[in-house]
Amino acid sequence: MKANLSDKRVVLLLAMVCCFLWGSATPAIKIGYQVFRIDGGDTQSIILFAGIRFLTAGLLVVLFQSLLQKRFLRPQREALPSIFALSMAQTVVQYLFFYVGLAHTSGVHGTIISGTGGFFSILMASLLFHYEKLTPAKVLGCVAGFGGILVMNLSGMAGESLFQVSLLGEGFVLFSQMSYALSGILVKRFSSRFDVVMLSGWQFVLGGIIMILVGLLTGGQIQP
């Protein structure tokens, strides 16, 4: 039985489920750090851990979709460039910048900047790829949304200056959100030619392998 995506109530329910799952990722990751004894400042081990997570997630997506289709979810040869581009934007570049940035910035700054991903998505879709029209209402929504994120986090500043920023810290987190926004555009473009589940599963597999190699080559370790 397929969900009726023309029903706004169904779309709202699915969006809430997705938000719950996204929200559960952070505490799940922190539990993983505790289980594998990964220090918050050990960027190399964090990247290795993230690579293992993404590789596992990709393999599970491929496995479950293969079982549903009763055939192996094999990526088409012509889809390989799209899978590579998506893995770089959505997994490798985004999370390399994100984890390195978080290691060099405060939690408050990181949270504020992380909330800009949705706004970058709107601006890129409207100004660069022309998928949507940038209306005054959308501009007002972006300004109001970012203002809300800023206000919610100002109470945690504790004497810290909002305008003290660095390239390796806030700059890298900002780059990660730009990469995240770009990945959303790429998904929309590539999904018109290829199965989106196949793209997602295999880009996680490829991105996870690349991050594992980066983590291992830079000295990352996972302790059982």
Side-chain angles (χ1 to χ4, degrees):
M1 180 178 178
K2 295 183 178 180
N4 181 14
L5 296 182
S6 62
D7 188 335
K8 292 183 178 180
R9 293 172 296 181
V10 174
V11 174
L12 177 62
L13 178 61
L14 292 176
M16 292 177 64
V17 171
C18 290
C19 288
F20 171 78
L21 294 174
W22 285 327
S24 67
T26 298
I29 291 172
K30 289 185 177 181
I31 292 173
Y33 290 165
Q34 295 175 358
V35 171
F36 295 104
R37 290 174 290 186
I38 299 175
D39 184 81
D42 187 355
T43 306
Q44 294 86 353
S45 296
I46 289 175
I47 292 173
L48 175 59
F49 178 67
I52 294 173
R53 288 177 53 240
F54 289 124
L55 175 60
T56 304
L59 292 175
L60 288 174
V61 170
V62 172
L63 173 63
F64 288 140
Q65 189 66 8
S66 297
L67 292 174
L68 289 175
Q69 295 182 352
K70 297 182 179 179
R71 62 180 179 85
F72 181 62
L73 187 65
R74 182 180 62 86
Q76 303 99 307
R77 180 177 298 179
E78 57 271 22
L80 295 180
S82 299
I83 291 172
F84 176 76
L86 193 56
S87 71
M88 293 302 295
Q90 189 169 3
T91 302
V92 179
V93 174
Q94 179 190 171
Y95 284 99
L96 283 178
F97 275 121
F98 185 69
Y99 285 125
V100 173
L102 286 184
H104 294 85
T105 187
S106 68
V108 174
H109 281 196
T111 302
I112 292 174
I113 299 174
S114 294
T116 62
F119 311 135
F120 281 125
S121 296
I122 295 174
L123 294 175
M124 285 186 179
S126 303
L127 301 178
L128 296 182
F129 295 92
H130 307 293
Y131 286 145
E132 299 181 14
K133 185 178 180 180
L134 189 62
T135 63
K138 290 179 181 178
V139 174
L140 180 61
C142 288
V143 172
F146 183 74
I149 294 172
L150 192 62
V151 169
M152 283 191 299
N153 288 278
L154 282 178
S155 59
M157 296 303 291
E160 178 183 354
S161 173
L162 182 64
F163 302 102
Q164 291 179 352
V165 298
S166 68
L167 177 61
L168 281 178
E170 291 79 4
F172 271 34
V173 177
L174 187 66
F175 292 152
S176 77
Q177 295 309 299
M178 292 180 180
S179 183
Y180 164 77
L182 177 61
S183 70
I185 303 298
L186 293 179
V187 169
K188 180 178 178 63
R189 170 173 290 186
F190 298 152
S191 62
S192 63
R193 298 180 55 204
F194 307 109
D195 176 44
V196 68
V197 179
M198 181 274 294
L199 289 173
S200 296
W202 285 107
Q203 73 88 9
F204 276 135
V205 170
L206 179 59
I209 291 174
I210 293 174
M211 294 189 74
I212 288 173
L213 292 176
V214 171
L216 290 174
L217 292 175
T218 55
Q221 296 181 350
I222 297 293
Q223 301 182 27

